[in-house]
Amino acid sequence: MTTVTDAGQTAVDADRTAVFDAAVAADERIEPRDWMPDAYRATLVRQIAQHAHSEIIGMQPEANWITRAPSLRRKAILIAKVQDEAGHGLYLYSAAETLGTSREELLDKLHAGRQKYSSIFNYPTLTWADVGAIGWLVDGAAITNQVPICRCSYGPYARAMVRICKEESFHQRQGFELLLTLSRGTEAQHAMAQDAVNRWWWPSLMMFGPPDDESSHSAQSMAWKIKRHSNDELRQRFVDIAVPQAEALGLTLPDPDLKWNEERGQHDFGAIDWTEFWDVLKGNGPCNEQRITQRRTAHEDGAWVRDAAAAHAAKHTERTTARSAQNEQEATA
Amino acid sequence: MTATVSGTTGAALVLGDDALVLSHRLAEWAGHAPVLEEEVALANIALDLLGQARVLLSMAGDEDELAYLREERAFRNLQLVEQPNGDFAHTIVRQLLFSTYQRFLYEALAGDRVFGPLAAKAVKEVAYHQDHAEQWTLRLGDGTDESQARMQRGLDALWRYTGEMFRPVDGLESVKWQELEARWSSSVTSVIERATLRVPEGPRTGAWAAGAGREGLHTEPFGRMLAEMQHLHRSHPGASW
C-alpha cells in the first residue's frame, strides 16, 4: 500500500474536482461510478430521499378516497395513480441507492423524523373534489418543479425524473378532468370543486419552497445543476399556467390580488402566508402526526413479513448449497 | 331483495361481484402494505380484478348502478372475497384460496360462448395473482415461527368459506364443478404442504349459510364495506362523476 502525502492527496482532489466541474459545466451527466464531491453526493441524497418520501407519504391523502370513489372508472384511475406513486418511490429509492444509501436507511430516517417530505401532504383530503384538486394543482406544481430535474447533472436522478414526469402529467390531466366534471355537474358538485380549489391553492404555491432570498440550499444546487431555476421563478411559471386553466374549469382562485401585469407579461399574485409554511414544516400542520404515524405503523406491522421473507431466502440458499454439495460428493464418489 | 336474476345476467353478476368485492378489499391495503413492492403488487391485482368486474357488470347492466345502488342482499359474491383483510398473512391466504379457484374457473370457461372472450384474457392476469399468492404462501409458511403461525391462523379462519365456491352457478353450464373442485383441492393442498402448513380439518361450509353469498346471504363486515363504497355515489342521486 502506498501512502499519499497530504500535498499529494490535495493535488489528486484538485484534479478530480477539476474533472467534475468541467463535466458539470459541459452539461455532461455525472454517473454513479464517477468521482463527485462529498457535498454534491449529500445534497443529492437529501433531495432524492425527500422526493421519494413525498411519493410514499403522498399516497395517503389520495388512498383516503379509493374506497369511496363514486364511480368504477374513477376508482380504477385513482388506484392506478396511487400505485404509480409507489412505483415512483421505488425508482427514487433506487436512484438514492446508486449514491450508496440504502432504502432501509432512508426509511428509518423518515420514520425518525430526521428527513422531510413535501409539506403539501400534511393537508387533509376532506371531499372527493380534493382528489381532483391534488391532481390539477399539486401534481401541476410538482411537474413545474420536476421537469427541469430531467436535465439534472446526476444521471440516475435525471432518468428517473423523465419517467416520473410523464406519469405525473397524465395524473394532472386526470385531476383537471375530474374537477371539470364536478364544476359542470350539479350545484353541490360545483361547490365541492370550488371549496377544494380554495383550500389547495395556497399550499400548492408553497410547494416551490421559501422565497429565493430565504432558500438555504438554492445557490449551491444551481451551481451544481441539480437545480435549474429559482423557487420564485418556478412559482411564477406555475401561476401563469394555472390562471387560464382555472378559467377553463369555471372555478376561481382564492386570491383577490391575482391579476395580469401587462408590463411584466406575468400575473401578480398576493402575499403568501410564510408563517403557515414554516409552521407546517416544523410539524404543526393538520396531518403531520397522522401521516408519519400511519407510515411507521405500516412499517412496524410489516416487520414480521420482511423477517419471514429474509428467513425463507436464507433457508432456500442453505438448501441449495447443501444440495449442490451433495451432488458434487455423489459425482466424485 | 334477494337475487332472483338467472342465466347469463346472473352468472355475470356472480363473476363480476367476486372481482368487484375482492378488488375493493385489496385496494384497502393502499398505503398500508409491508413493503413498497407489495404496494405495487396488491394495487396491480386490485386493478386487474376491477377491470374484470367492469366488463362483467356491464354485461348485466350499468356498471355503476350495479355497484353502487344494489342492496347487500342482491350481491352474489362469495363470502370469502368480502372477508376483511386482517394481517398480510390473512390476505395472502384469501388470495391463494380465491385466485386458484378463479384461475381454474376461467380456464374452464375459456371455450364458453358468452364468457369465453373475457375468461381467456383474464386467465393470464389471474395466473399471475395465483403465482403471487403461492410465492408468499411458501415464504411466510416456511419463514419464521411467527409467520407460520399467522398463515395457519388465516387458513383455519378462511377454510370454512371455500365450500360454496363449487356450488353450480346458473348460466355457467360449461363448468364441470366437481372437476374444478378436485383441481383446486389438489393445487391448494400441494402449496399448503410445501409451505409446511397444515390443511385445516374443519368443514368447508358453515352449517347455517345454505347457499351463502351466491344467494345473497353475506357476513356482517360486508354491510360496512358497502356502506363506505356506496356512500358518496348515493349522496348525490343522478349526478355524473
Side-chain angles (χ1 to χ4, degrees):
Chain A
M1 202 177 105
T2 52
T3 354
V4 184
T5 62
D6 283 356
Q9 187 60 52
T10 312
V12 171
D13 279 355
D15 283 352
R16 287 162 160 177
T17 307
V19 171
F20 172 84
D21 287 345
V24 171
D27 269 331
E28 282 168 20
R29 289 278 158 82
I30 306 300
E31 295 298 336
R33 285 164 189 227
D34 295 340
W35 182 88
M36 62 188 86
D38 291 343
Y40 175 84
R41 186 185 298 273
T43 298
L44 276 168
V45 169
R46 183 181 54 78
Q47 185 174 332
I48 296 172
Q50 177 167 334
H51 191 166
H53 299 332
S54 301
E55 295 285 356
I56 63 167
I57 295 276
M59 294 168 69
Q60 292 182 30
E62 295 179 280
N64 183 37
W65 281 93
I66 287 178
T67 53
R68 291 175 288 172
S71 74
L72 297 185
R73 174 175 164 261
R74 292 287 177 200
K75 188 175 187 169
I77 290 173
L78 187 55
I79 296 173
K81 182 179 180 198
V82 173
Q83 184 192 34
D84 281 349
E85 280 153 11
H88 296 172
L90 280 174
Y91 314 152
L92 289 162
Y93 286 119
S94 303
E97 274 175 6
T98 66
L99 293 159
T101 315
S102 71
R103 192 204 303 182
E104 201 60 32
E105 199 178 329
L106 296 178
L107 284 176
D108 285 345
K109 284 185 179 159
L110 169 68
H111 298 152
R114 286 191 291 129
Q115 279 182 342
K116 302 246 179 258
Y117 54 87
S118 176
S119 271
I120 192 78
F121 300 119
N122 290 318
Y123 290 86
T125 47
L126 301 179
T127 73
W128 170 250
D130 290 35
V131 172
I134 289 187
W136 176 46
L137 293 174
V138 175
D139 291 334
I143 294 165
T144 310
N145 259 330
Q146 290 168 4
V147 164
I149 306 177
C150 298
R151 294 186 292 124
C152 162
S153 57
Y154 187 58
Y157 189 29
R159 287 188 289 273
M161 289 317 303
V162 170
R163 195 159 159 190
I164 290 173
C165 282
K166 275 185 199 157
E167 292 180 355
E168 293 289 1
S169 69
F170 200 58
H171 298 163
Q172 201 231 359
R173 282 201 297 275
Q174 288 168 334
F176 181 88
E177 194 255 333
L178 191 162
L179 281 180
L180 188 64
T181 307
L182 293 180
S183 180
R184 292 178 177 174
T186 64
E187 211 172 304
Q189 287 178 308
H190 181 87
M192 194 192 278
Q194 184 61 60
D195 168 61
V197 168
N198 291 349
R199 282 182 289 109
W200 288 94
W201 173 250
W202 290 106
S204 300
L205 292 193
M206 294 177 198
M207 282 176 70
F208 297 92
D212 294 345
D213 49 10
E214 286 173 45
S215 175
S216 49
H217 302 291
S218 283
Q220 181 61 70
S221 288
M222 299 265 272
W224 277 330
K225 296 188 180 171
I226 294 173
K227 198 175 167 133
R228 298 274 180 166
H229 306 279
S230 80
N231 295 353
D232 288 330
E233 271 170 41
L234 291 168
R235 189 166 13 244
Q236 180 71 54
R237 188 179 295 180
F238 173 70
V239 170
D240 291 332
I241 294 170
V243 170
Q245 290 180 347
E247 277 168 29
L249 284 171
L251 298 170
T252 58
L253 296 170
D255 179 359
D257 298 324
L258 186 65
K259 60 173 185 299
W260 179 250
N261 182 324
E262 195 64 58
E263 218 169 288
R264 291 201 304 128
Q266 290 173 323
H267 291 87
D268 290 337
F269 53 96
I272 292 170
D273 181 0
W274 292 109
T275 320
E276 177 181 318
F277 173 81
W278 294 112
D279 217 24
V280 177
L281 197 71
K282 268 184 253 158
N284 300 321
C287 300
N288 298 57
E289 185 59 32
Q290 178 190 333
R291 300 287 186 241
I292 205 71
T293 300
Q294 180 179 326
R295 185 83 268 299
R296 269 193 217 123
T297 307
H299 192 73
E300 285 161 15
D301 288 353
W304 69 268
V305 178
R306 297 188 299 275
D307 290 347
H312 179 81
K315 284 184 194 177
H316 188 76
T317 314
E318 206 176 294
R319 282 175 207 149
T320 319
T321 318
R323 214 174 298 138
S324 55
Q326 198 184 351
N327 289 347
E328 227 166 89
Q329 229 169 16
E330 283 167 7
T332 48
Chain B
M1 187 185 78
T2 48
T4 48
V5 277
S6 58
T8 299
T9 304
L13 287 179
V14 160
L15 300 173
D17 287 348
D18 279 351
L20 177 74
V21 171
L22 186 58
S23 161
H24 186 95
R25 285 299 190 202
L26 290 171
E28 289 176 350
W29 271 102
H32 300 276
V35 283
L36 208 40
E37 284 79 358
E38 285 308 296
E39 291 284 358
V40 176
L42 295 172
N44 199 43
I45 298 170
L47 277 172
D48 285 345
L49 290 169
L50 185 52
Q52 295 167 19
R54 295 183 64 193
V55 172
L56 287 158
L57 294 183
S58 298
M59 290 168 76
D62 178 87
E63 60 174 31
D64 285 339
E65 271 179 36
L66 288 167
Y68 292 100
L69 299 176
R70 268 183 303 162
E71 298 291 325
E72 180 177 341
R73 297 279 274 116
F75 277 83
R76 306 200 51 189
N77 55 281
L78 297 165
Q79 291 184 347
L80 176 68
V81 295
E82 75 203 30
Q83 295 310 305
N85 289 333
D87 63 10
F88 188 68
H90 201 82
T91 290
I92 289 301
V93 169
R94 195 184 57 198
Q95 282 305 107
L96 177 73
L97 300 177
F98 181 75
S99 61
T100 305
Y101 161 75
Q102 200 190 24
R103 180 183 180 172
F104 294 152
L105 178 60
Y106 281 169
E107 280 179 4
L109 286 170
D112 189 271
R113 190 179 49 82
V114 181
F115 296 104
L118 168 101
K121 177 175 175 284
V123 77
K124 291 178 200 143
E125 298 167 354
V126 179
Y128 158 74
H129 306 169
Q130 187 193 17
D131 184 56
H132 172 263
E134 283 188 6
Q135 294 307 317
W136 272 111
T137 301
L138 295 175
R139 262 182 226 130
L140 299 178
D142 191 15
T144 61
D145 289 347
E146 182 182 2
S147 67
Q148 187 182 46
R150 285 175 185 263
M151 284 299 283
Q152 193 62 53
R153 270 205 296 280
L155 264 177
D156 292 342
L158 293 171
W159 195 246
R160 75 196 62 167
Y161 298 108
T162 58
E164 70 160 318
M165 298 195 290
F166 306 102
R167 299 174 69 92
V169 174
D170 250 14
L172 299 183
E173 276 70 32
S174 50
V175 179
K176 297 188 180 73
W177 296 93
Q178 281 182 335
E179 209 172 277
L180 179 67
E181 181 162 13
R183 278 189 86 188
W184 177 87
S185 190
S186 130
S187 169
V188 163
T189 302
S190 145
V191 178
I192 292 173
E193 284 170 356
R194 274 194 291 143
T196 69
L197 295 164
R198 207 170 16 79
V199 176
E201 282 156 18
R204 290 186 30 227
T205 42
W208 172 77
R214 294 284 185 240
E215 304 295 326
L217 265 182
H218 295 280
T219 54
E220 287 184 353
F222 188 52
R224 287 178 185 279
M225 193 204 103
L226 284 188
E228 184 173 336
M229 184 175 106
Q230 296 182 335
H231 161 260
L232 177 59
H233 184 97
R234 285 179 180 246
S235 301
H236 297 262
S240 302
W241 300 95

